């Protein structure tokens, strides 16, 4: 998602009213569920600065676990208003910077001044795969780098794969948002393509491509491995945000969530937003056993970007938009037992514990300001009152500004690792922290 802190103010009044009127609260807990782990970093948090030395943040950050339990963060920035930069930071499992990575734990990929990364995954062999776009042509780009930040010469062309989805009848702007690494080392990349025709009209499609482990097109995936464009012409514009958020099932199927704008028939240009969930078979074809045609098309009164999607052990699909949570059954039907009570927060990521409980993270608007928040929900969508206070835990670093949690991941011990920022002008600072999720006093 294009990063714009000012947009937080747009929904401030709405969320303050929602918080003040919500009655979904419970008692305080005597467990450590939801408490910050004070042994992590400095008193529970590690604070660091990105913008001071490297540029202005352009896209939402990401956090990933390495196979050996280290923490890898991704920030895409713009330097001096023109050059694009990608910064990776790595921390040990206790929150201290990994001094063996880059310079004091920070690795700047300065060789790609036209590359913006939106997602990162850590490979078992220490390599890293970054997904995003190349501004030279605005094309899909996947970059695989070695542990030292140099391009992997065994992947693509000089370490990179690029894909232009333009047709002969018009150009396209393409951006990749998500990479799934399959057990056999192959990849599935998902993102969006804005296509422009001669009449000046724009349509945004969901684009998917399969790659071999060496970065070449996987001809066995879907339509010759090239791409799958899911849409219905000009009336199926997909919200170009954190779209393509995906989750791979154990049997190789792929689940993707998007928000799609559709023109209302005879509606004189009126547009409605729909939540789309798509499930693909391991070969890249739509799964006909999922909602008849492989696609759930659910009308949303307040459509918002998809921020996270997870498949539970029972096959149900939990999906978080920027404004609310939804649950669908394994066959694509809506789970009507899931609570529709709006969460008093703006959601930026979603995780799930082994017991099926949900962990949306983001920020909360309140009369006392803006705080980063972690909530824990039961599988029916109700607040888990045994977590934190009234089912939530908050982080507030500076009461003169706002604090937000923008990404999260569950570590091997079942703790929640969060990545956030504190907007204390003139320089925003970043932080990582660790929350207990199942430990008793």
């Amino acid at each position: 998602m294009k990063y714009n802190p000012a947009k937080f103010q747009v929904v401030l009044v709405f969320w303050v009213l929602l918080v003040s009127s919500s009655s979904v609260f419970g008692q305080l807990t005597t467990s450590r569920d939801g408490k910050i782990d004070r042994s992590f970093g400095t008193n529970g948090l590690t604070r660091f600065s990105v913008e001071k030395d490297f540029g202005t943040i352009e896209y939402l950050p990401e956090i990933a676990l390495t196979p050996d339990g280290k923490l890898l963060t991704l920030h895409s920035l713009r330097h001096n208003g023109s050059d694009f930069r990608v910064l990776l930071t790595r921390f040990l499992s206790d929150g201290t910077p990994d001094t063996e990575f880059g310079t004091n734990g920070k690795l700047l990929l300065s060789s790609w001044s036209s590359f913006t990364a939106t997602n990162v995954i850590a490979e078992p062999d220490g390599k890293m795969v970054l997904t995003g776009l190349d501004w030279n042509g605005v094309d899909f780009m996947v970059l695989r780098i070695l542990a030292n930040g140099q391009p992997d010469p065994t992947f693509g062309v000089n370490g990179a794969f690029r894909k232009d989805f333009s047709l002969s009848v018009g150009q396209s702007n393409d951006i990749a948002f998500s990479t799934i690494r399959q057990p056999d080392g192959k990849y599935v990349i998902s993102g969006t393509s804005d296509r422009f025709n001669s009449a000046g009209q724009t349509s945004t499609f969901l684009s998917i491509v399969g790659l071999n482990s060496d970065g070449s097109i996987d001809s066995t995936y879907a339509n010759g491995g090239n791409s799958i464009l899911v849409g219905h012409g000009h009336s199926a514009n997909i919200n170009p945000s954190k779209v393509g958020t995906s989750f791979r099932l154990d049997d190789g199927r792929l689940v993707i969530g998007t928000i799609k704008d559709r023109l209302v028939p005879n509606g004189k240009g009126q547009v409605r937003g729909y939540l789309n969930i798509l499930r693909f078979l391991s070969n890249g074809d739509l799964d006909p056993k999922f909602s008849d045609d492989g696609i759930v098309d659910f009308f949303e009164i307040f459509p918002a970007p998809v921020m996270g999607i997870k498949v539970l052990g029972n096959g149900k699909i939990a999906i978080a938009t920027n404004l609310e949570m939804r649950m669908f059954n394994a066959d694509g039907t809506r789970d009507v037992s899931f609570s529709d009570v709006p969460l008093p927060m703006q959601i930026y990521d979603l995780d799930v514990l082994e017991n099926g409980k949900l962990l949306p993270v983001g920020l909360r608007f309140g009369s006392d300001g803006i705080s980063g928040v972690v909530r824990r929900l039961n599988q029916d969508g109700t607040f888990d009152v045994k977590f934190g206070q009234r089912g939530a835990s908050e982080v507030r670093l500076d009461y003169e500004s706002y604090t937000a949690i923008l990404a999260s991941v569950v570590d091997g011990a079942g703790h929640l690792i969060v990545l956030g920022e504190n907007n204390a002008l003139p320089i925003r600072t970043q932080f990582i922290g660790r929350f207990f999720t199942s430990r008793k006093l």
Side-chain angles (χ1 to χ4, degrees), residues 188-261:
V188 179
I189 317 297
S190 58
T192 58
S193 295
D194 293 332
R195 287 190 166 176
F196 311 94
N197 59 28
S198 57
Q201 297 174 323
T202 304
S203 297
T204 304
F205 295 87
L206 172 64
S207 302
I208 304 174
V209 61
L211 298 180
N212 293 310
S213 59
D214 63 358
S216 61
I217 290 287
D218 178 8
S219 60
T220 67
Y221 190 82
N223 182 24
N226 292 315
S227 66
I228 305 173
L229 301 179
V230 179
H232 308 284
H234 67 280
S235 63
N237 289 325
I238 293 175
N239 194 319
S241 56
K242 199 174 179 179
V243 81
T245 299
S246 54
F247 188 88
R248 186 185 60 81
L249 296 169
D250 289 339
D251 59 5
R253 290 177 295 172
L254 187 72
V255 179
I256 295 178
T258 71
I259 289 289
K260 179 177 65 177
D261 296 331

Side-chain angles (χ1 to χ4, degrees), residues 298 324-326 334-343 380-381:
F298 182 79
E324 56 191 334
M325 292 282 305
R326 300 288 188 194
R334 187 180 175 190
D335 181 1
V336 296
S337 68
F338 191 79
S339 173
D340 274 341
V341 176
L343 299 181
D380 62 0

Side-chain angles (χ1 to χ4, degrees), residues 17 80 96 108-109 135-136 142 161 224 301 326 328 345 370:
L17 293 174
N80 292 331
T96 56
L108 180 66
L109 306 185
W135 288 101
N136 290 330
V142 181
F161 165 83
I301 298 177
R326 300 288 188 194
F328 292 83
M345 65 182 292
I370 304 174

Side-chain angles (χ1 to χ4, degrees), residues 266-382:
N266 302 320
K268 298 181 179 181
Q270 181 182 0
V271 176
R272 288 182 177 177
Y274 288 81
L275 172 64
N276 273 184
I277 303 175
L278 307 95
R279 192 167 76 190
F280 297 89
L281 300 173
S282 59
N283 64 358
D285 294 335
L286 284 168
D287 185 351
K289 295 183 179 179
F290 184 72
S291 188
D292 296 329
D293 59 358
I295 305 176
V296 169
D297 208 28
F298 182 79
F299 171 64
E300 287 282 8
I301 298 177
F302 300 107
V306 172
M307 306 308 294
I309 183 168
K310 298 293 181 182
V311 179
L312 280 61
N314 57 11
K316 291 186 177 182
I317 300 170
I319 188 165
T321 72
N322 204 209
L323 297 178
E324 56 191 334
M325 292 282 305
R326 300 288 188 194
M327 185 75 76
F328 292 83
N329 295 310
D331 62 359
T333 57
R334 187 180 175 190
D335 181 1
V336 296
S337 68
F338 191 79
S339 173
D340 274 341
V341 176
L343 299 181
M345 65 182 292
Q346 193 168 357
I347 304 172
Y348 279 90
D349 209 346
L350 174 67
D351 279 287
V352 61
L353 298 173
E354 288 186 358
N355 59 12
K357 295 192 176 184
L358 307 170
L359 294 168
V361 304
L363 57 86
R364 177 188 69 85
F365 293 95
S367 58
D368 59 340
I370 304 174
S371 302
V373 63
V374 177
R375 289 195 174 273
R376 192 168 74 184
L377 307 181
N378 298 310
Q379 287 196 36
D380 62 0
T382 57

Side-chain angles (χ1 to χ4, degrees), residues 382-401:
T382 57
F383 292 176
D384 183 354
V385 296
K386 294 182 179 180
F387 182 84
Q389 296 185 7
R390 301 185 294 270
S393 289
E394 298 189 1
V395 176
R396 187 74 177 274
L397 300 184
D398 185 345
Y399 283 87
E400 299 299 323
S401 60

Side-chain angles (χ1 to χ4, degrees), residues 1-224:
M1 175 187 285
K2 184 72 171 177
Y3 190 67
N4 182 11
K7 76 171 188 173
F8 295 154
Q9 301 173 6
V10 175
V11 292
L12 174 60
V13 175
F14 172 77
W15 285 119
V16 169
L17 293 174
L18 181 61
V19 171
S20 63
S21 63
S22 176
S23 61
V24 189
F25 296 113
Q27 74 276 13
L28 300 183
T29 178
T30 58
S31 76
R32 295 185 69 172
D33 285 21
K35 295 184 182 298
I36 195 80
D37 181 357
R38 301 294 178 182
S39 69
F40 183 88
T42 302
N43 203 27
L45 297 174
T46 297
R47 301 181 69 169
F48 59 103
S49 176
V50 168
E51 292 189 323
K52 180 180 179 181
D53 299 318
F54 300 102
T56 304
I57 296 174
E58 284 284 297
Y59 279 79
L60 283 173
E62 292 286 343
I63 187 168
L65 283 177
T66 65
D68 56 358
K70 295 177 181 178
L71 310 170
L72 184 67
T73 73
L74 165 71
H75 288 86
S76 282
L77 312 104
R78 183 176 292 192
H79 181 63
N80 292 331
S82 58
D83 291 340
F84 295 92
R85 290 181 166 185
V86 175
L87 178 70
L88 295 169
T89 59
R90 197 167 74 186
F91 302 86
L92 303 178
S93 59
D94 63 359
T96 56
D98 182 359
T99 56
E100 296 182 356
F101 183 76
T103 302
N104 296 323
K106 295 179 179 179
L107 179 64
L108 180 66
L109 306 185
S110 56
S111 300
W112 292 275
S113 60
S114 63
F115 177 53
T116 290
T118 59
N119 180 257
V120 62
I121 61 174
E123 302 269 68
D125 58 2
K127 297 176 183 178
M128 293 160 282
V129 178
L130 295 87
T131 305
L133 76 155
D134 182 358
W135 288 101
N136 290 330
V138 194
D139 298 329
F140 257 45
M141 182 169 171
V142 181
L143 178 67
R144 192 164 76 188
I145 60 176
L146 305 174
N148 61 3
Q150 295 301 308
D152 180 2
T154 67
F155 184 85
V157 179
N158 297 323
F161 165 83
R162 293 175 176 84
K163 176 66 179 179
D164 182 2
F165 290 96
S166 298
L167 300 175
S168 58
V169 294
Q171 300 299 307
S172 71
N173 287 342
D174 315 303
I175 178 170
F177 283 96
S178 178
T179 297
I180 294 294
R181 186 181 190 274
Q182 306 284 34
D184 59 3
K186 294 182 179 181
Y187 305 96
V188 179
I189 317 297
S190 58
T192 58
S193 295
D194 293 332
R195 287 190 166 176
F196 311 94
N197 59 28
S198 57
Q201 297 174 323
T202 304
S203 297
T204 304
F205 295 87
L206 172 64
S207 302
I208 304 174
V209 61
L211 298 180
N212 293 310
S213 59
D214 63 358
S216 61
I217 290 287
D218 178 8
S219 60
T220 67
Y221 190 82
N223 182 24

